[in-house]
Amino acid sequence: MTRKQVHLAAHFPGVNNTTVWTDPRSGSQIDFSSFTHLARTAERGKLDFFFLAEGLRLRELKGRIHDLDVVGRPEALTVLSALAAVTDRLGLAGTVNATFNEPYELARRLSTLDHLSGGRAAWNVVTTSDAFTGENFRRGGYLDRADRYERAAEFVRLSRELWDSWQPDAVVADRAAGRFVRDGAIGTVEHQGRHFSVDGRFTLPRSPQGRPVIIQAGDSAEGREFAAAHADVIFTGHGRLEDGQRFYADVKSRLARHGREPHQLKIMPGVTFALGDTDEEAAENAAGIRRKQVGPQTAIAFLEQVWGRDMSAYDPDGPLPDLDPDLSEGVSQGRVAIKNRAAVAAKWRALAEEKGLTIRELVIEVTGRQTFVGTPETVARLIDEHVQADAADGFILVPHLTPGGLDDFVDRVVPLLQERGVFRTDYTGHTLRDHLELA
C-alpha cells in the first residue's frame, strides 16, 4: 500500500498571542531579515510554501488598542515579491481580502508575483462582513454577512477568467517578423455579475504555473462549500486527530458535486509544536510557551471578549470574578465574534471551579495551542499518523518564535519524516503546483 506524502508549509504569524515576542530570542516582525530567515529555513527543509496572514485594522478592546495582538504587520504581497528574489523553490502564499479589493487589480498583482517567482504564488482568499474593519475603506461595512462568500466566489471566478484569457502559447516573440503576441491569442474578458463588471483585456500572459494556487481559510458551512468549489488548499484549525478526520471527510465529500476529485484539494490545518529531548521535557517546554503566550494582559483580554465587561481591575492570577456576563454588547472589535457568549462563560466557569483555575490558567486551558508535543521522533510519528489516517494532507506550521522558531523542526523532525519515506528529500518540480501535486 502506497503511503501518502506529507505536505508542510511555514506560517509567519506576526505579533499575536501565538508568538512570544518578549522572548530574548525573538526578532523583529518587520525587518526583512526576519522574513528571509524563516523563508530560507522553510526552503532548506523542502517545505511546500511560506504563508503570510493579513491584518487590515488593529484590534481593539473597549476602544483601546490591544497591542499584544496583530500589530505592525507589513502588506503580504510586497513582502512575498521581495522573498521571490532570495528563494528558488519555496511557494509564496499571501492572504488578501476579497471584500476590500478589486479582481482586475489583484489578479495583476498575483500574476506578477507568479511571474517574478517562476510559478510559486498562492492567494489565501479571506472575507469579512465586519463594519469595524470596513471603516478603513471607502465602501465601509456595506457587505452583509450572507453575501461575503458570494462576492468571494465571483471574485475568484473573475480572476481565473483574467488569468486564463491569454492562450498558453500567446507569446511568440518573433524578432524577425517583429511580432510579439500571436494574433487572436489574447481574449476579451466580458464579465457582468452581481458584484463586478469587467469588459477588457488582461495585461499579463499566462504565468509559469498557469494560475496562482488558491487557498481558503474558513470553517463555516459556506466556507467549506467555497473551498470545495474553488480552492486548491484549505487552511483549517482542525489539528486534532478525530476533529481532523471529521472535517477531512466532510470537505472531501463535497468535491464531487463540483466535478472535482479528492486529490485536487489539500487539507492543511495550522498547527504548533514543542520539542524536547524527552516527551516529558517537551511537555514542560509546551507549558512554558503557553504561559508566555498568555501573559496577564492577554488573559484579561480573552476574559473581556466573553464577559463583555471591562475586567482590567481583576487579578489575572486570581479567581474568576463572581459576576455574570454583560450580553448587551461585545468589547472586542476586529476579531471573529464569539457566538453565544453566555454558554461559553458558563462552560468556562464550570471548568475553573472543577480544576481550581485562576483567570490566566483558565485562558491557557481553553486556548491550548500546542498540537504536536514530544521528541522529534514522537512529533514525526504523530504527523505521519494524522496524514495516513486522513485527518489532513499535511500541516501549516506556526512557530512561536520569529524568525528562528522553525529551525529545530527543520533540523530534527524533517529528516525523520524523510526516513519514513513520507516527505521529499528534495524538490522534484519548480512550481508550487508541482510541490502540492496539483494539475
Side-chain angles (χ1 to χ4, degrees):
M1 180 178 173
T2 303
R3 295 174 63 78
K4 291 172 60 179
Q5 290 295 294
V6 173
H7 292 279
L8 293 174
H11 187 289
F12 187 103
V15 177
N16 57 33
N17 67 297
T18 298
T19 52
V20 181
W21 64 268
T22 56
D23 191 295
R25 296 169 295 172
S26 181
S28 171
Q29 304 287 333
I30 298 175
D31 287 351
F32 187 56
S33 60
S34 290
F35 295 99
T36 56
H37 182 110
L38 189 63
R40 284 171 168 165
T41 301
E43 187 164 71
R44 177 164 59 83
K46 315 304 178 186
L47 272 61
D48 290 1
F49 59 90
F50 173 96
F51 181 86
L52 278 176
E54 177 185 63
L56 295 180
R57 182 162 182 175
L58 299 180
R59 293 170 178 171
E60 296 182 7
L61 292 163
K62 286 289 188 182
R64 307 185 310 274
I65 294 173
H66 180 48
D67 67 352
L68 301 183
D69 213 321
V70 180
V71 177
R73 174 177 289 164
E75 193 277 325
L77 294 187
T78 304
V79 174
L80 295 177
S81 295
L83 287 176
V86 297
T87 56
D88 295 315
R89 299 290 185 92
L90 185 69
L92 303 168
T95 302
V96 186
N97 198 295
T99 305
F100 301 115
N101 284 282
E102 295 298 319
Y104 189 89
E105 186 269 343
L106 181 56
R108 289 186 73 244
R109 291 167 62 201
L110 288 163
S111 184
T112 298
L113 175 60
D114 214 31
H115 279 284
L116 292 177
S117 64
R120 296 184 280 138
W123 170 26
N124 179 40
V125 184
V126 297
T127 67
T128 183
S129 59
D130 182 3
F132 172 76
T133 301
E135 289 172 359
N136 274 350
F137 297 87
R138 175 178 57 83
R139 293 188 306 275
Y142 81 99
L143 190 65
D144 291 336
R145 183 178 182 86
D147 294 334
R148 63 178 185 164
Y149 278 114
E150 180 184 342
R151 176 186 167 95
E154 186 179 341
F155 199 127
V156 172
R157 287 195 300 269
L158 177 51
S159 297
R160 283 177 168 158
E161 287 181 50
L162 293 164
W163 292 327
D164 293 347
S165 62
W166 285 57
Q167 295 297 315
D169 59 351
V171 177
V172 293
D174 187 338
R175 291 181 173 84
R179 185 175 55 141
F180 187 73
V181 178
R182 182 171 56 80
D183 291 342
I186 304 175
T188 300
V189 175
E190 298 176 347
H191 179 96
Q192 300 294 325
R194 179 184 173 192
H195 297 276
F196 308 108
S197 176
V198 172
D199 187 356
R201 288 186 171 89
F202 197 51
T203 58
L204 286 170
R206 291 279 183 108
S207 65
Q209 62 176 344
R211 58 171 72 138
V213 167
I214 298 295
I215 304 172
Q216 189 269 343
D219 192 32
S220 65
E222 297 89 347
R224 296 181 187 205
E225 201 65 26
F226 178 89
H230 302 288
D232 301 303
V233 177
I234 183 166
F235 177 30
T236 86
H238 296 281
R240 306 295 181 184
L241 182 64
E242 294 78 9
D243 291 343
Q245 287 175 319
R246 285 191 290 269
F247 181 86
Y248 190 99
D250 176 72
V251 173
K252 296 278 186 173
S253 70
R254 297 170 185 259
L255 291 165
R257 58 175 167 264
H258 298 285
R260 305 180 68 196
E261 298 292 331
H263 69 273
Q264 293 178 296
L265 175 63
K266 306 301 181 187
I267 296 177
M268 299 181 67
V271 296
T272 59
F273 57 90
L275 302 176
D277 291 333
T278 65
D279 287 343
E280 293 74 20
E281 181 183 70
E284 291 178 6
N285 290 339
I289 292 168
R290 286 303 294 139
R291 189 156 182 85
K292 292 178 182 177
Q293 288 170 330
V294 183
Q297 294 153 283
T298 297
I300 293 298
F302 269 98
L303 198 67
E304 289 180 336
Q305 290 174 47
V306 177
W307 256 255
R309 297 178 181 275
D310 182 352
M311 309 290 271
S312 58
Y314 292 93
D315 180 2
D317 292 315
L320 202 63
D322 186 19
L323 76 166
D324 294 326
D326 179 359
L327 303 178
S328 61
E329 62 174 310
V331 297
S332 177
Q333 291 180 294
R335 298 184 69 94
V336 177
I338 297 175
K339 297 179 181 178
N340 197 351
R341 288 190 290 116
V344 173
K347 181 179 178 180
W348 283 24
R349 184 176 297 284
L351 182 62
E353 291 176 354
E354 176 190 349
K355 296 190 174 184
L357 303 176
T358 65
I359 293 173
R360 190 177 179 188
E361 290 169 342
L362 172 65
V363 173
I364 290 172
E365 180 82 10
V366 299
T367 62
R369 288 178 178 272
Q370 275 74 23
T371 315
F372 297 120
V373 178
T375 63
E377 292 79 7
T378 297
V379 171
R381 174 179 56 79
L382 290 172
I383 288 174
D384 186 19
E385 288 176 354
H386 276 64
V387 171
Q388 305 310 324
D390 287 342
D393 292 307
F395 297 98
I396 297 177
L397 303 166
V398 187
H400 73 280
L401 287 178
T402 303
L406 192 66
D407 295 7
D408 272 357
F409 187 95
V410 165
D411 292 336
R412 303 178 68 190
V413 179
V414 166
L416 298 176
L417 291 170
Q418 292 168 336
E419 288 178 12
R420 285 174 166 264
V422 295
F423 191 72
R424 67 174 69 88
T425 56
D426 201 355
Y427 293 108
T428 56
H430 288 82
T431 72
L432 179 52
R433 290 187 177 277
D434 291 335
H435 307 341
L436 292 168
E437 303 172 287
L438 297 170

